[in-house]
Amino acid sequence: QVQLVESGGGSVQAGGSLTLSCAASGDTSNGACMAWFRQPSGKARQGVAGVDSFDTTTYVDSVKGRFTISKDNARKTLYLQMSSLKPEDTAMYYCAARRNECYDSPLNLPPDYWGQGTQVTVSS
């Protein structure tokens, strides 16, 4: 089992920045396959950014150039640096992980584990 705990959410004005963290514990793989998803209120959950076991990153078009995903394997922590935030980025953000390594974008693969989520609210 893997436990994922997100932190770093909050309220910011448009144009601001936030960094989300996701601490993993339990039976994690050193070559972790992890991603960030988000779910705006009343809408479906969508992939935002992923990092595979080659450390190749992928992003949904709407966040390219503004968000950066990274992982610290030694600390078993996943990050999402968000800048130039827009009101449409407002959502509950979830960390996700797969049980095994992956060599395709985690955004294309169903996660095995989810965190509890952290809320990001961007005001105009």
Side-chain angles (χ1 to χ4, degrees), residues 12-18 66 82-87 89 122-124:
V12 295
Q13 290 190 327
S17 300
L18 281 174
R66 301 189 298 121
M82 306 184 294
S83 62
S84 301
L85 283 161
K86 304 176 181 180
D89 294 319
V122 184
S123 58
S124 57

Side-chain angles (χ1 to χ4, degrees), residues 71-119:
K71 60 179 177 176
D72 184 330
N73 289 332
R75 296 184 177 181
K76 295 185 177 181
T77 303
L78 182 73
Y79 302 97
L80 185 67
Q81 296 174 277
M82 306 184 294
S83 62
S84 301
L85 283 161
K86 304 176 181 180
E88 51 264 43
D89 294 319
T90 295
M92 185 72 78
Y93 282 71
Y94 296 91
C95 175
R98 285 184 57 84
R99 182 177 299 111
N100 299 313
E101 298 177 346
C102 70
Y103 302 100
D104 188 8
S105 171
L107 299 184
N108 298 330
L109 303 169
D112 296 305
Y113 307 104
W114 292 95
Q116 83 289 350
T118 186
Q119 178 68 36

Side-chain angles (χ1 to χ4, degrees), residues 18-20 34-38 46-52 55-71 78-83 85 89 93 104-108:
L18 281 174
T19 296
L20 306 183
M34 302 184 74
W36 288 97
F37 289 76
R38 66 186 179 187
Q46 60 179 195
V48 175
V51 53
D52 69 16
D55 288 342
T56 299
T57 58
T58 52
Y59 300 90
V60 67
D61 285 347
S62 60
V63 308
K64 285 180 180 178
R66 301 189 298 121
F67 290 12
T68 302
I69 188 171
S70 61
K71 60 179 177 176
L78 182 73
Y79 302 97
L80 185 67
Q81 296 174 277
M82 306 184 294
S83 62
L85 283 161
D89 294 319
Y93 282 71
D104 188 8
S105 171
L107 299 184
N108 298 330

